[in-house]
Amino acid sequence: MAPLVSIGPSLWDKLEALGMASSYDVCAPPSMERLKGSLPGIYYAWSSGGRVPLLKVLFTNRCARDCKYCAFSALVDVPRYTFEVEELVETFLSLYRQGLVRGLFLSSAIPQCPDDTMEKMVGVVQRLRVRERFRGYIHLKILPGTSSELAMKAARVATRVSVNLEAPRESILRAIAPSKSLKGEILPLVGALKKGFTTQFVVGVGGEKDLHILRAVEVLNRSYGLKRAYFQAFKPVAGTPLENHPPGSRERQLRLYQGEFLVRCYGFTPQELVDPQGNLPRGTDPKSHWVLTHLHHFPVELEKATYHQLLRVPGIGPRLARRVLALRARGELSLLHLEKAGINLRKSGPFLLMKGRKVVKDPYNQRRLGLE
Ligand code: SF4
């Protein structure tokens, strides 16, 4: 495909390699998808305003580390590229001015000292912010082993930062990424950051249980301001030590997203959601499974239910739970008001009582759900 912007051949090669490289980057949220037919490195991210095209690139794919799942580890023989700071700034500006991207997602491999590479990545952002007065979205990946001071500097200039744990336990991380350390270089960063961060786990390769991951999410969210966790189902890469390892399950990835949301936003504990083997149920979403195995918790009396009790009712999430509480505070609990507030009475009604009476008399549903 012919380039849409004026980019020289060597820069084009870099953009193609480092933009494509970021699609392997296990730091990448799965909500980002490649813009079909566009320049390499341009991906969509989802925001409240809709789909936003981002330039998503690695600063370099040269790496001294030996993560066994990674296409750019020192163990793999691939062509290596590195941007110059000014070159990446100009490339981004060129794409931005032509309306092809609206933000930047910058990650990197680690050629030697993490601070050296991180300093250059922060340099890119500073030039965009200060010299070019770019106020748009910039996501910076904080590299493992970065000093706390530099991580905080990155957090000040970026819109969002992320620190990838990759695995929920030190022993699991050591097995898949021998030169990374949770205690030695990743958790100190998490502790140093003064604003929220996102993280990511590779799943299906280290023998980790869903319970391990959800517990880590719970602790990070409560104590360190984790905004969101992403999960990357392991994909074997040719030429790596794990090339013959089976891929991670996409369904497991989905269930982890659902479980993570329930722990972070609904107040479920990880232990409540997993089976005796420590894994989320398969074949159904974790909230539905919890409801069907805890029918004795229902129906819930709307006149007395707490916020967290409402969150466990099928069809009710944080927004609707707050609306129900607001209706109750105004003395407006009625079927009409509930429906107007967005409550799906067919779905949620069988699990609710109003002044001691079933909110919806639906004998078929009651019998089917075992609530009669
Ligand atoms: S640090 Fe590990 S995951 Fe990141 S690029 Fe290097 S080998 Fe790959």
Side-chain angles (χ1 to χ4, degrees), residues 328-347:
R328 189 167 78 194
R330 294 198 298 269
E332 291 179 351
L333 276 182
S334 70
L335 291 185
L336 189 64
H337 281 106
L338 287 171
E339 279 195 305
K340 269 192 180 170
I343 301 287
N344 179 340
L345 292 180
R346 213 175 154 70
K347 185 169 186 181

Side-chain angles (χ1 to χ4, degrees), residues 137-148:
Y137 180 84
I138 298 180
H139 184 133
L140 264 182
K141 188 73 62 185
I142 310 280
L143 305 179
T146 299
S147 64
S148 298

Side-chain angles (χ1 to χ4, degrees), residues 26 63-67 69-74 108-110 144 166 177 180:
V26 289
C63 200
R65 304 287 184 110
D66 56 358
C67 307
Y69 49 82
C70 179
F72 307 108
S73 84
S108 185
I110 311 172
E166 314 292 16
K180 282 183 179 167

Side-chain angles (χ1 to χ4, degrees), residues 24-27 58 60-75 80 107-111 143-144 164 166 176-177 179-180 185 202:
Y24 292 108
D25 178 9
V26 289
C27 319
L58 300 184
T60 179
N61 66 353
R62 290 179 207 282
C63 200
R65 304 287 184 110
D66 56 358
C67 307
K68 294 181 184 175
Y69 49 82
C70 179
F72 307 108
S73 84
L75 308 170
R80 307 286 178 168
S107 181
S108 185
I110 311 172
L143 305 179
N164 287 355
E166 314 292 16
I176 59 173
S179 56
K180 282 183 179 167
E185 59 178 11
V202 188

Side-chain angles (χ1 to χ4, degrees), residues 154-183:
R156 283 195 293 274
V157 292
T159 315
R160 176 169 293 179
V161 293
S162 48
V163 181
N164 287 355
L165 264 72
E166 314 292 16
R169 291 185 168 184
E170 190 77 56
S171 57
I172 299 172
L173 184 64
R174 290 282 181 182
I176 59 173
S179 56
K180 282 183 179 167
S181 165
L182 282 179
K183 289 198 184 91

